[in-house]
Amino acid sequence: MKDIAQKIGVDRSTVSLALKNDPRISRATKDKVLATADELGYRPDPAFKILGAQRWKSRKTATGFVMAFIASKTQLDDPIAQRYLEGFRSEAHKLGFGFSEFNISEYDSIMKANQVLIHRGVSGLVFFRPPQEKDLYGYDWDQFASICLGYGS
């Protein structure tokens, strides 16, 4: 998948979704992915499919609701952020929610981060002090419930 993504200039998650015929991927992109996959002789590995299914199956929650604590690497190093993170993690666990830390700095665009969050089944976002309002643009807000803990300067 990595080779396909590099060749056509998309993220690996886009290739994965296109190969699964996901409706969020445009017909043109799906066609490009499929043509490139055929050209490169791509064949899915059944063992990886089983492993992937098991990995996501193990993350199922009692309520089906999964939350992500969204912050940059710098913010995650902040002791106040760590207190919020641990508090949310504890309460999510008590309520039967899935919960994960999501380092937004690992993604070169909000759109890519958005795809990953959706693919992981995240339905709730907890933002720790987005530094600027623009950092909230690019999310598919129809997919998420959200809360913002405050704004930085």
Side-chain angles (χ1 to χ4, degrees):
M1 280 196 273
K2 179 181 176 186
D3 294 336
I4 298 168
Q6 285 177 337
K7 182 160 181 139
I8 62 177
V10 298
D11 193 69
R12 276 191 271 181
S13 62
T14 301
V15 173
S16 177
L17 292 172
L19 291 171
K20 294 175 188 171
N21 200 25
D22 190 286
R24 293 172 288 182
I25 305 300
S26 72
R27 172 56 33 211
T29 300
K30 286 178 193 176
D31 290 345
K32 194 186 268 188
V33 166
L34 293 172
T36 305
D38 188 49
E39 175 188 328
L40 296 176
Y42 172 79
R43 298 289 177 259
D45 184 335
F48 281 130
K49 186 173 185 174
I50 292 167
L51 284 171
Q54 287 299 322
R55 183 179 80 191
W56 294 109
K57 183 179 176 184
S58 69
R59 294 186 182 193
K60 296 284 186 225
T61 64
T63 63
F65 192 79
V66 179
M67 298 172 59
F69 187 87
I70 311 291
S72 68
K73 170 70 173 120
T74 304
Q75 291 171 322
L76 289 169
D77 291 337
D78 182 329
I80 295 170
Q82 286 300 313
R83 288 182 63 197
Y84 276 119
L85 177 63
E86 291 312 312
F88 271 96
R89 185 185 321 275
S90 174
E91 288 303 309
H93 180 72
K94 287 178 192 173
L95 296 169
F97 296 168
F99 188 82
S100 65
E101 182 178 310
F102 194 84
N103 181 351
I104 197 71
S105 305
E106 293 177 358
Y107 301 89
D108 45 350
S109 77
I110 298 296
M111 290 175 61
K112 285 184 182 180
N114 185 78
Q115 287 177 330
V116 170
L117 290 163
I118 291 171
H119 182 69
R120 291 181 182 175
V122 171
S123 41
L125 306 179
V126 178
F127 291 92
F128 180 72
R129 297 184 184 158
Q132 298 177 8
E133 187 176 326
K134 71 174 180 63
D135 294 330
L136 298 173
Y137 297 134
Y139 291 96
D140 183 353
W141 293 110
D142 292 336
Q143 299 290 323
F144 306 110
S146 63
I147 185 170
C148 183
L149 300 175
Y151 284 91
S153 51

